Amino acid sequence: MLKGTGVSGGIGIGRILLAENHSLEYEPVQVTDTETEKRRFHNAVDRFCENTRSQAEALRISAGEKEADIMLGHISIVTDPFLTGEVEKLISSGKCAEASFENICEMFIQIFSAADDDVTKQRAADVTDVKAGVLRILLGIEEADVSGAPAGTIICTKEITPSMMSKINKEKIAGIVTETGSTTSHCAILARVMEIPAVMSVPDITDMAKNGDLAVIDGNKGQVILSPPEEQLKSYTEIRERLMRERRELEQFRGKPTVSADGRRYELVCNIGKPEDAAAALEYDGEGVGLFRTEFLFMNKTSVPTEEEQFQEYKKAALILKGRPLIIRTLDIGGDKEIPYLGLENEDNPFMGFRAIRYCLKNRDVFKAQLKAILRASAFGNVSIMFPMITCVEEVRKGRALVEEIKSELKAENTAFDEKIKVGIMAETAAAGITADLLAEESDFFSIGTNDLTGYTMAADRGNADVSYLYSALQPSVVRMIKYIIKAAAEKGIPVGMCGEAAADPMMIPLLISFGLTEFSVSAPSVLRVRKYISSWTKERADKVAEKVMTLSTEQEIREYLESVL
């Protein structure tokens, strides 16, 4: 029996697949053409960012919103002006790009690793992931490919990377065992979310294991058993079957309506980033799509997608859903979502700057092409339009005016579209929360984006370890903001959904039921679990919980009370 660190619970039984990642060692060289070396570095960074966006999108389906956002956070690290500036200084002194980038990354890793809290230490793990990813590109080293692993595979490797995790088929992977890694690494988090048993930091496991070896890994105890005796194999098989049985219990909620214990009906839909994800939403038994993030159609290109290109993508999603709701959010760029060819200028505070609806209203041609594509796609399904990052009534009115203008053009062209298409907004800023009653007069529906709403309400960047303790949807101010938004929508008779992470949080669900939320939009893998949570609450019981929560003064008090209730 070999010992390591159990980072993702469960029992994995399968055959070893040795996934060999080539060494990232290199011989540092002095460079004389420093400008060419800087371009080589920036080209590697651009390619890393492009790869990361694609990997993050794959993770949205296999793991969920939060995990994909963590991966997108790697882009913020590698494009940080201070980091890139320091790398350029070292290159200017004659160091090669590999050595320059690694030196600066190691500086950050040492700083973050010395911290006392796990959140800051996680930043060190993130920088380590970024360092390895960029070095692979600079060195021209291909990563081990595990995408074609057969069913019942236990991946065994010195180090598993986030990009490897994004490519695996979690249904075929029985477990993961590595020589490096910790509970706070991004890959450990992903393994937990994807429900793959994993043990990390097992010394010399790649030397001891052989391809095809039968193995058992216990992610709870951090144990690995190579070629287990028959009795031991039988015991672990029984334990695994019991755990799988508990997971299968969720299947009783497949194909069922989403109803509370007292029979109240809710809409349970999914967040997607590309048309193909709509199929995954249905596969996980989602009832439609509550958020189609269209910026990912823009991110994987070198120029603005044409109206026709967008139309085909939106139409595809609508056809896949066969009349189920499809809420398409208009382009939400800026902040942490950079699209180089759009020419956005660097801003000191991009999250408070020229992003989302602000960009679209000023870049009318880009906005109009997208709206026209969405309107044309509305002829093929139950499509709605949603504007992001609304802060005032004028933005809604301008957006709706453009929709009406395009409708007139489509009529003149005899082009089919849904003349009654609904136009709603993301309620994700403090301004939208405070003026929700006014915005409800201008909107057909609301969708609460709790990720940004929490950040803007608490004035806290979730990526900043020093203020991360403030970033919680259970903060009293955020809970009150959510309640007010839902109340304002109800008073105006418009539906209100939630597409942020809180929609799938079991601690938030009784509050959302009590406040009157009508739609939950979650990652596809969360559908059955959320349906189960909702089914366990009555409105009366949820009201009592919410009433108590509204008397509490701190996030900790609210969290501890809700944990005791659950």
Side-chain angles (χ1 to χ4, degrees):
M1 182 180 291
L2 306 173
K3 282 291 292 178
T5 303
V7 300
S8 180
I11 305 298
I13 302 175
R15 298 282 175 181
I16 291 286
L17 172 65
L18 288 171
E20 183 180 357
N21 272 323
H22 296 289
S23 169
L24 295 180
E25 292 182 5
Y26 59 92
E27 192 68 37
V29 297
Q30 287 294 111
V31 295
T32 54
D33 188 349
T34 57
E35 290 306 312
T36 297
E37 193 69 359
K38 288 176 185 177
R39 282 196 298 274
R40 192 168 78 89
F41 164 65
H42 284 292
N43 288 339
V45 168
D46 290 343
R47 186 173 161 195
F48 174 84
C49 293
E50 181 181 340
N51 293 345
T52 300
R53 290 187 187 101
S54 298
Q55 293 155 9
E57 189 47 40
L59 285 175
R60 288 190 193 279
I61 295 304
S62 62
E65 173 82 15
K66 181 178 179 180
E67 286 62 42
D69 282 348
I70 290 172
M71 195 155 196
L72 285 175
H74 289 184
I75 294 176
S76 301
I77 293 171
V78 79
T79 58
D80 180 81
F82 177 76
L83 183 147
T84 57
E86 292 301 300
V87 172
E88 287 185 349
K89 287 179 185 176
L90 289 182
I91 294 175
S92 295
S93 72
K95 284 184 179 291
C96 63
E98 290 87 346
S100 300
F101 183 68
E102 185 168 28
N103 286 355
I104 299 304
C105 285
E106 285 299 329
M107 177 187 74
F108 279 107
I109 291 167
Q110 290 176 19
I111 293 170
F112 293 142
S113 298
D116 294 327
D117 63 291
D118 286 342
V119 174
T120 305
K121 287 181 179 178
Q122 172 57 44
R123 299 278 288 171
D126 289 339
V127 176
T128 300
D129 289 338
V130 169
K131 181 188 74 171
V134 174
L135 283 179
R136 266 191 201 90
I137 295 170
L138 287 169
L139 296 169
I141 293 173
E142 292 295 326
E143 196 169 47
D145 186 6
V146 295
S147 59
T153 291
I154 291 180
I155 295 173
C156 181
T157 182
K158 287 184 182 295
E159 174 192 21
I160 192 160
T161 66
S163 57
M164 288 169 69
M165 291 292 293
S166 73
K167 294 172 187 172
I168 66 175
N169 181 342
K170 66 179 181 178
E171 304 302 327
K172 294 185 177 181
I173 304 303
I176 296 168
V177 56
T178 69
E179 290 187 7
T180 63
S182 67
T183 56
T184 60
S185 72
H186 188 196
C187 291
I189 295 168
L190 288 174
R192 290 193 289 273
V193 172
M194 297 166 79
E195 299 180 330
I196 299 174
V199 180
M200 293 183 173
S201 294
V202 181
D204 303 319
I205 183 64
T206 57
D207 292 329
M208 289 183 278
K210 296 181 178 64
N211 270 319
D213 276 356
L214 183 65
V216 173
I217 68 170
D218 186 335
N220 300 311
K221 296 181 180 179
Q223 297 173 345
V224 178
I225 306 164
L226 298 176
S227 302
E230 189 173 334
E231 280 302 311
Q232 203 170 26
L233 181 62
K234 180 181 177 182
S235 174
Y236 275 108
T237 300
E238 290 173 353
I239 296 171
R240 184 185 64 170
E241 287 177 352
R242 175 175 56 80
L243 295 174
M244 292 176 69
R245 189 162 55 247
E246 292 171 359
R247 192 180 302 178
R248 284 196 298 270
E249 288 177 2
L250 284 178
E251 287 297 314
Q252 68 180 291
F253 293 93
R254 185 177 295 278
K256 303 286 180 63
T258 303
V259 258
S260 60
D262 52 356
R264 295 173 185 266
R265 182 77 164 84
Y266 297 89
E267 195 166 54
L268 182 54
V269 290
C270 296
N271 306 324
I272 69 171
K274 57 182 185 293
E276 294 77 11
D277 296 346
L282 298 184
E283 180 184 337
Y284 281 97
D285 208 36
E287 298 164 17
V289 168
L291 170 63
F292 183 163
R293 304 180 189 86
T294 59
E295 56 270 19
F296 294 102
L297 303 181
F298 289 71
M299 284 181 171
N300 294 324
K301 298 180 71 67
T302 57
S303 60
V304 177
T306 66
E307 174 196 323
E308 184 62 26
E309 287 173 330
Q310 293 185 67
F311 163 65
Q312 292 297 337
E313 297 294 283
Y314 306 146
K315 174 185 172 183
K316 188 188 300 182
L319 291 174
I320 289 171
L321 291 171
K322 296 179 180 177
R324 296 176 183 86
L326 171 62
I327 298 177
I328 301 178
R329 183 176 71 186
T330 57
L331 184 59
D332 183 8
I333 56 159
D336 59 349
K337 304 189 190 84
E338 297 181 12
I339 303 178
Y341 64 78
L342 291 179
L344 288 172
E345 296 181 2
N346 289 331
E347 299 178 273
D348 290 337
N349 193 344
F351 284 95
M352 300 284 186
F354 189 50
R355 59 173 297 200
I357 192 68
R358 301 168 181 182
Y359 171 88
C360 289
L361 289 174
K362 191 167 182 180
N363 290 272
R364 185 181 168 91
D365 290 345
V366 174
F367 196 24
K368 188 172 181 179
Q370 181 174 43
L371 290 174
K372 198 166 186 179
I374 296 172
L375 279 163
R376 289 171 58 195
S378 71
F380 298 88
N382 181 9
V383 177
S384 300
I385 298 170
M386 182 161 67
F387 300 141
M389 204 193 167
I390 293 296
T391 56
C392 58
V393 164
E394 292 90 334
E395 290 168 338
V396 186
R397 288 177 179 171
K398 288 177 182 177
R400 295 196 72 131
L402 188 54
V403 171
E404 293 304 314
E405 179 184 314
I406 297 167
K407 283 183 179 180
S408 298
E409 292 177 6
L410 291 173
K411 285 179 184 177
E413 298 168 6
N414 286 323
T415 300
F417 68 94
D418 179 6
E419 295 193 26
K420 296 182 179 178
I421 190 169
K422 289 182 168 50
V423 180
I425 69 163
M426 291 279 291
E428 55 184 341
T429 65
I434 293 167
T435 59
D437 56 332
L438 303 177
L439 293 169
E441 294 277 8
E442 311 286 335
S443 309
D444 296 323
F445 63 90
F446 284 168
S447 185
I448 302 172
T450 50
N451 299 349
D452 275 341
L453 183 65
T454 301
Y456 287 125
T457 301
M458 295 303 299
D461 177 3
R462 58 181 158 175
N464 185 330
D466 291 329
V467 297
S468 60
Y469 70 96
L470 294 169
Y471 187 87
S472 168
L474 295 177
Q475 288 283 358
S477 57
V478 181
V479 171
R480 280 162 170 70
M481 190 75 80
I482 291 170
K483 181 178 182 180
Y484 181 70
I485 292 169
I486 296 173
K487 180 173 180 285
E491 288 177 350
K492 300 300 179 184
I494 65 171
V496 55
M498 178 177 287
C499 57
E501 291 173 26
D505 186 341
M507 286 192 285
M508 285 294 299
I509 284 173
L511 303 183
L512 300 177
I513 288 174
S514 175
F515 296 162
L517 195 78
T518 56
E519 176 210 82
F520 295 76
S521 192
V522 301
S523 66
S526 300
V527 168
L528 296 183
R529 191 173 292 107
V530 172
R531 187 171 290 150
K532 178 184 177 182
Y533 294 153
I534 292 172
S535 74
S536 66
W537 288 95
T538 63
K539 177 72 161 57
E540 182 181 6
R541 182 165 165 250
D543 284 343
K544 290 179 180 177
V545 170
E547 183 179 353
K548 173 66 176 178
V549 165
M550 298 306 287
T551 68
L552 302 176
S553 304
T554 69
E555 194 270 354
Q556 184 177 346
E557 289 173 359
I558 292 174
R559 181 175 297 278
E560 289 177 352
Y561 169 67
L562 290 175
E563 285 175 347
S564 72
V565 169
L566 292 177

